[in-house]
């Protein structure tokens, strides 16, 4: 029996975090305090809780725990970590608490790469972000690889120098093959540095260098090269034209907050080198009684704990609660002084007002849509819960599928839906290791076994368990999943997603019976989305692996067709399938191809097709 009065007397007068739990042992609030005893005791003293939220929450608390820290910085870090892990009911947090993507530059490698990253790793790489969406990151990466010939392969140097032929990206002109020492490392490092400045929004030095190179190419009468550089300059200048707001050369984030009776939204303007390089907005789950200052503090702690870069200055629409403590914490994270201010006049005030206007417009534009979508998803999850007869509240669904072509390159996929929405940063791919031939049942068993084993091994990427598992298929796939669960001593409901004769979603199979779901209901529509997404994700991965194998065989195994002709074929036909179906006359139309090489390509494909 937890004796609250007795336990309150044991709390020390030290800084740390405290955890409040309800009668079901569920964590309902995580907080931090300079003096743990004073803060925790305030919840249980009559008139001690200063605000409505604290007084309301106190009625749910049946027991608590706490952790002492050496200082407030440690308390900030631990508090934020626990909020993200447990999503307590009374804590204000970012909507969905999802992980936002980053751009990662592997500066610790001999020949660095510029990559997409789902989370900020604890390595020696440089990270930029977070960004609101993966599509935004991919847009930037596509432009980076278009402007600079930076490698994308996974080779390790110097171990892999001159091992194997240059890859496809070299053949189509998007990499200079430094792996085969066809490009000097000094120039490569310069390109990586320029790409980094571009990602930060700084294009002045890049433009100067390119204009110089263009002039030199023109003087040497290398007109094609000069034209190529000219087009690159035009692309960069067009990008720079979109960054019209100049603020005097400093880096800072401008942050505004908008809220209505239901939702809250934070708008950020990113100012780098004096120019506004972009903006993002983030939905939050507010407590109706939380003040704007508390909302701002909650956002700053959650956002900047994951941010790859913290500027020297934050210009806010309102000061956050615990401003001094947050300023100290941010300075600690950035390893230099960070300032938080609320501008009252001048250009900085105008920027904050502009951010506030955008926040209000975005909330009015998307707020109702987000609420409607949330309500539809809630109904859908409840309909599925009721149809399956589950007593728990259904939150997380994991869905599995297997894809192969007659047993070739068999792969498995795991997609995740939480609260009715796809959680793509939790998606996982599996290249099957122990399955021979087209055996979907064994594939399901292997994928689920590997997924759950990693959970037991405390693997961060598999730290959450599903409330229910969906498999794309019927009784056979369900039995395979249950076999994997039984072997690990686990009990999780398993449903099969079955299709009709036209290969459309028909419903769910659970405990040997087909579960009725009204076709016009939100639950049926959600099952359809999950099944389609599961199949798409598995098929996409399988096609990628199969294409890689096909590209390797075509480019490397056709005798008499060297690097120049391989590049000419790819540039002319665009893809392997077009080369496969081409006639000898069609093949001769590609530059650098002669009759002998065209016949070799034609014979290769037609012989292998028989």
């Amino acid at each position: 029996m937890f004796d609250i009065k007795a336990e309150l007397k044991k709390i020390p007068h030290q800084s740390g975090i405290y955890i409040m739990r309800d009668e079901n042992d569920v964590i309902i609030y995580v907080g931090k305090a300079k003096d743990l005893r004073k803060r925790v005791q305030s919840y249980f003293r009559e008139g001690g809780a200063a605000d409505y939220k604290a007084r309301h929450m106190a009625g749910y608390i049946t027991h608590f725990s706490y952790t002492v820290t050496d200082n407030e910085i440690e308390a900030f870090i631990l508090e934020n970590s626990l909020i993200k892990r447990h999503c307590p009911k009374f804590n204000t947090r970012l909507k969905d608490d999802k992980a936002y993507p980053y751009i990662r530059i592997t500066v610790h490698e001999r020949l660095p790469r510029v990559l997409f990253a789902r989370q900020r790793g604890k390595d020696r790489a440089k990270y930029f972000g977070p960004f609101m969406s993966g599509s935004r990151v991919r847009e930037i990466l596509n432009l980076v690889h278009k402007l600079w010939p930076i490698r994308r392969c996974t080779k390790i140097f110097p171990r892999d120098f001159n091992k194997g032929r240059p890859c496809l990206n070299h053949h189509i002109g998007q990499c200079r093959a430094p792996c085969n020492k066809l490009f000097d490392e000094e120039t490569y490092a310069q390109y990586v540095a320029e790409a980094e400045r571009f990602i930060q929004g700084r294009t002045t030095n890049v433009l100067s260098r390119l204009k110089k190179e263009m002039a030199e190419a023109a003087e040497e009468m290398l007109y094609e090269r000069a034209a190529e550089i000219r087009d690159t300059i035009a692309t960069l200048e067009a990008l720079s034209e979109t960054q019209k707001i100049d603020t005097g050369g400093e880096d800072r984030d401008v942050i505004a907050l908008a809220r209505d009776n239901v939702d809250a939204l934070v708008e950020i303007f990113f100012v780098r080198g004096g120019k506004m390089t972009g903006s993002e907005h983030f939905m939050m789950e507010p407590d109706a009684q939380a003040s704007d200052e508390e909302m701002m503090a909650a956002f700053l702690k959650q956002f900047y704990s994951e941010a790859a870069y913290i500027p020297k200055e934050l210009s806010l629409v309102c000061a956050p609660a615990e401003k001094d403590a947050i300023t100290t914490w941010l300075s600690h994270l950035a390893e230099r002084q960070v300032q938080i201010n609320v501008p009252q006049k001048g250009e900085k005030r105008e920027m904050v007002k502009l951010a506030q206007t955008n926040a209000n417009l975005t909330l009015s534009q998307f707020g109702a849509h987000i609420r409607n979508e949330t309500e539809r998803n809630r109904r859908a999850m409840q309909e599925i819960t009721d149809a399956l007869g589950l007593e728990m509240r259904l939150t997380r669904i994991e869905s599995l599928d297997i894809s192969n072509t007659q047993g070739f390159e068999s792969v498995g996929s795991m997609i995740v839906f939480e609260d009715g929405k796809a959680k793509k940063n939790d998606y996982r791919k599996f290249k099957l290791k122990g399955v021979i031939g087209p055996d979907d049942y064994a594939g399901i068993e292997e994928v689920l076994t590997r997924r759950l084993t990693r959970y037991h091994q405390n693997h961060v990427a598999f730290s959450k368990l599903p409330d229910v598992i969906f498999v794309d298929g019927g009784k056979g796939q369900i039995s395979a999943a249950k076999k994997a669960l039984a072997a690990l001593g686990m009990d999780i409901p398993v449903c099969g997603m079955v299709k009709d004769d036209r290969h459309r979603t028909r419903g769910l199979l659970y405990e040997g019976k087909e579960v009725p779901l009204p076709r016009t209901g939100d639950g049926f529509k959600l099952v359809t989305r999950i099944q389609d997404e599961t199949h798409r994700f598995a098929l996409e991965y399988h096609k990628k692996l199969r294409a890689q194998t096909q590209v390797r065989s075509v480019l490397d195994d056709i005798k008499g067709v060297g690097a120049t002709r391989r590049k000419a074929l790819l540039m002319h036909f665009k893809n392997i399938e077009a080369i496969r179906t081409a006639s000898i006359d069609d093949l001769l139309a590609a530059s650098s191809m002669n009759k002998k090489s065209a016949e070799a390509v034609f014979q290769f494909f037609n012989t292998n097709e028989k």
Side-chain angles (χ1 to χ4, degrees):
M1 185 70 180
F2 190 86
D3 187 338
I4 289 180
K5 290 184 178 180
E7 294 299 324
L8 286 173
K9 295 177 182 177
K10 300 176 184 177
I11 302 175
H13 290 285
Q14 290 180 249
S15 65
I17 61 100
Y18 55 92
I19 301 171
M20 301 299 193
R21 298 175 184 266
D22 65 12
E23 60 183 358
N24 298 315
D25 200 37
V26 174
I27 295 175
I28 60 174
Y29 188 75
V30 176
K32 69 160 200 60
K34 286 184 180 179
D35 188 319
L36 282 169
R37 177 178 288 191
K38 287 183 179 179
R39 181 58 178 150
V40 176
Q41 282 183 340
S42 70
Y43 289 94
F44 303 98
R45 262 198 325 265
E46 187 173 348
D51 56 73
Y52 173 84
K53 173 183 171 180
R55 292 195 297 273
H56 178 63
M57 181 179 69
Y60 292 90
I61 302 170
T62 59
H63 57 296
F64 60 82
S65 59
Y66 55 88
T67 300
V68 173
T69 61
D70 288 334
N71 51 58
E72 275 196 286
I73 302 300
E74 291 181 1
F76 262 114
I77 295 169
L78 183 55
E79 176 197 31
N80 192 60
S81 174
L82 291 172
I83 289 172
K84 289 194 169 188
R85 185 186 306 170
H86 299 290
C87 300
K89 175 181 178 180
F90 288 98
N91 281 103
T92 300
R93 61 186 186 274
L94 288 176
K95 206 85 165 181
D96 299 329
D97 196 29
K98 64 183 178 182
Y100 294 93
Y102 299 85
I103 292 175
R104 176 174 179 253
I105 301 182
T106 59
V107 292
H108 57 290
E109 294 181 334
R110 175 83 172 259
L111 296 170
R113 295 169 293 158
V114 183
L115 305 170
F116 182 104
R118 274 291 172 195
Q119 55 188 0
R120 187 180 180 185
K122 294 181 179 179
D123 54 18
R124 291 174 292 160
K126 283 187 178 181
Y127 288 84
F128 300 87
F131 295 87
M132 183 65 181
S133 67
S135 60
R136 173 63 174 160
V137 174
R138 292 186 182 93
E139 179 185 347
I140 294 171
L141 289 179
N142 286 338
L143 193 50
V144 165
H145 288 295
K146 179 181 178 182
L147 296 172
W148 293 280
I150 296 172
R151 73 181 182 100
R152 308 184 205 186
C153 64
T154 57
K155 291 182 177 179
I156 299 173
F157 302 107
R159 184 194 71 185
D160 293 336
F161 275 129
N162 293 315
K163 286 187 178 180
R165 300 178 183 181
C167 67
L168 174 62
N169 288 322
H170 173 67
H171 296 311
I172 61 176
Q174 292 191 2
C175 180
R176 302 284 179 82
C179 57
N180 283 56
K181 298 193 174 180
L182 301 180
F183 189 61
D184 68 278
E185 292 188 43
E186 185 177 341
T187 307
Y188 185 91
Q190 181 183 351
Y191 283 173
V192 172
E194 288 178 356
E196 180 179 334
R197 288 194 289 270
F198 166 72
I199 292 167
Q200 293 173 331
R202 299 181 173 96
T203 60
T204 305
N205 291 339
V206 180
L207 285 168
S208 297
R209 194 263 300 171
L210 289 175
K211 287 175 181 178
K212 181 180 178 182
E213 285 187 10
M214 182 177 67
E216 289 174 353
E219 283 181 12
E220 296 173 11
M221 292 187 289
L222 300 173
Y223 299 120
E224 289 187 6
R225 174 62 180 155
E228 181 184 335
I229 298 172
R230 179 202 61 204
D231 293 341
T232 300
I233 291 171
T235 302
L236 282 171
E237 287 180 335
L239 180 70
S240 298
E241 278 298 307
T242 65
Q243 303 170 352
K244 295 180 179 178
I245 301 175
D246 195 304
T247 61
E250 76 274 15
D251 288 359
R252 76 172 185 273
D253 289 349
V254 181
I255 306 176
L257 170 70
R259 58 192 300 189
D260 56 22
N261 294 330
V262 181
D263 291 308
L265 179 142
V266 174
E267 184 88 17
I268 308 183
F269 286 172
F270 302 106
V271 178
R272 302 293 180 262
K275 292 183 178 180
M276 182 175 151
T277 61
S279 65
E280 301 283 4
H281 64 266
F282 300 86
M283 295 299 297
M284 298 196 70
E285 293 182 351
D287 184 295
Q289 304 302 320
S291 65
D292 288 353
E293 291 75 13
E294 290 171 327
M295 291 287 295
M296 184 63 75
F299 174 78
L300 295 179
K301 287 190 281 186
Q302 292 176 65
F303 179 78
Y304 287 106
S305 68
E306 297 292 334
Y309 174 72
I310 303 174
K312 293 181 179 180
E313 183 180 351
L314 306 183
S315 296
L316 313 182
V317 71
C318 66
E322 306 174 293
K323 177 185 174 183
D324 292 343
I326 291 176
T327 301
T328 303
W329 172 67
L330 288 173
S331 300
H332 170 78
L333 290 181
E335 298 181 348
R336 54 172 163 70
Q337 187 62 41
V338 175
Q339 294 182 342
I340 295 177
N341 60 57
V342 182
Q344 300 300 315
K345 60 182 180 180
E347 177 273 330
K348 291 183 179 181
R349 177 59 183 168
E350 293 303 312
M351 282 288 288
V352 170
K353 287 172 66 176
L354 181 61
Q356 184 66 60
T357 299
N358 277 271
N360 293 336
L361 289 172
T362 304
L363 184 61
S364 64
Q365 182 179 2
F366 295 111
H369 170 74
I370 292 169
R371 285 193 293 273
N372 291 337
E373 182 183 9
T374 301
E375 179 57 25
R376 281 197 303 272
N377 291 335
R378 187 200 64 76
R379 285 198 306 267
M381 296 293 278
Q382 190 60 51
E383 286 177 15
I384 295 172
T385 303
D386 294 342
L388 298 178
L390 301 176
E391 295 182 359
M392 73 184 90
R393 177 179 175 268
L394 195 59
T395 299
R396 183 181 175 96
I397 298 172
E398 292 185 4
S399 181
L400 311 177
D401 191 18
I402 305 298
S403 183
N404 63 73
T405 301
Q406 297 180 342
F408 175 70
E409 293 288 9
S410 294
V411 302
S413 70
M414 180 187 95
I415 67 131
V416 179
F417 272 63
E418 280 194 359
D419 294 320
K421 294 174 64 177
K423 192 173 184 183
K424 293 192 175 183
N425 53 302
D426 279 6
Y427 285 17
R428 297 291 177 263
K429 302 170 183 175
F430 301 84
K431 189 172 183 179
L432 300 189
K433 301 175 180 178
V435 178
I436 300 174
D439 190 342
D440 285 3
Y441 303 158
I444 289 289
E445 184 179 350
E446 179 183 325
V447 168
L448 190 54
T449 299
R450 286 165 61 183
R451 182 263 180 269
L452 296 175
T453 299
R454 289 174 186 176
Y455 166 78
H456 287 300
Q457 293 171 342
N458 296 318
H459 196 294
V460 175
F462 296 89
S463 59
K464 288 185 178 181
L465 284 177
D467 298 317
V468 64
I469 296 169
F470 285 4
V471 292
D472 191 29
K475 293 181 179 179
Q477 283 83 355
I478 293 173
S479 297
K482 287 186 173 181
K483 184 178 178 182
L485 287 164
L488 292 166
M490 303 182 73
D491 183 19
I492 300 173
V494 180
C495 296
M497 296 180 290
V498 291
K499 295 183 177 181
D500 60 21
D501 295 337
R502 296 183 180 181
H503 211 63
R504 298 178 305 186
T505 302
R506 191 174 76 212
L508 293 175
L509 190 65
Y510 181 59
E511 300 295 350
K513 297 180 181 178
E514 191 162 328
V515 176
L517 281 169
R519 281 187 167 273
T520 57
D522 294 309
F524 181 84
K525 293 175 183 176
L526 177 57
V527 172
T528 301
R529 288 203 305 275
I530 292 173
Q531 187 168 32
D532 290 344
E533 179 69 354
T534 306
H535 183 66
R536 178 202 65 79
F537 190 59
L539 189 61
E540 183 181 84
Y541 183 40
H542 173 60
K543 283 182 176 179
K544 180 180 178 181
L545 292 182
R546 191 175 62 193
Q548 288 173 350
T549 302
Q550 290 174 332
V551 167
R552 184 171 62 251
S553 65
V554 170
L555 297 180
D556 297 340
D557 297 340
I558 304 177
K559 293 181 180 180
V561 179
T564 301
R565 288 186 177 129
R566 287 197 297 269
K567 179 179 178 181
L569 286 170
L570 286 167
M571 295 294 286
H572 183 80
F573 290 99
K574 306 302 182 186
N575 60 65
I576 297 300
E577 193 59 36
I579 299 173
R580 183 192 304 278
T581 57
S583 66
I584 291 178
D585 289 339
D586 293 333
L587 293 167
L588 283 169
S591 63
S592 301
M593 295 294 290
N594 56 31
K595 188 172 182 180
K596 184 178 178 180
S597 59
E599 286 177 347
V601 173
F602 182 82
Q603 194 68 24
F604 176 85
F605 280 116
N606 283 273
T607 300
N608 281 278
E609 287 294 315
K610 293 178 181 178

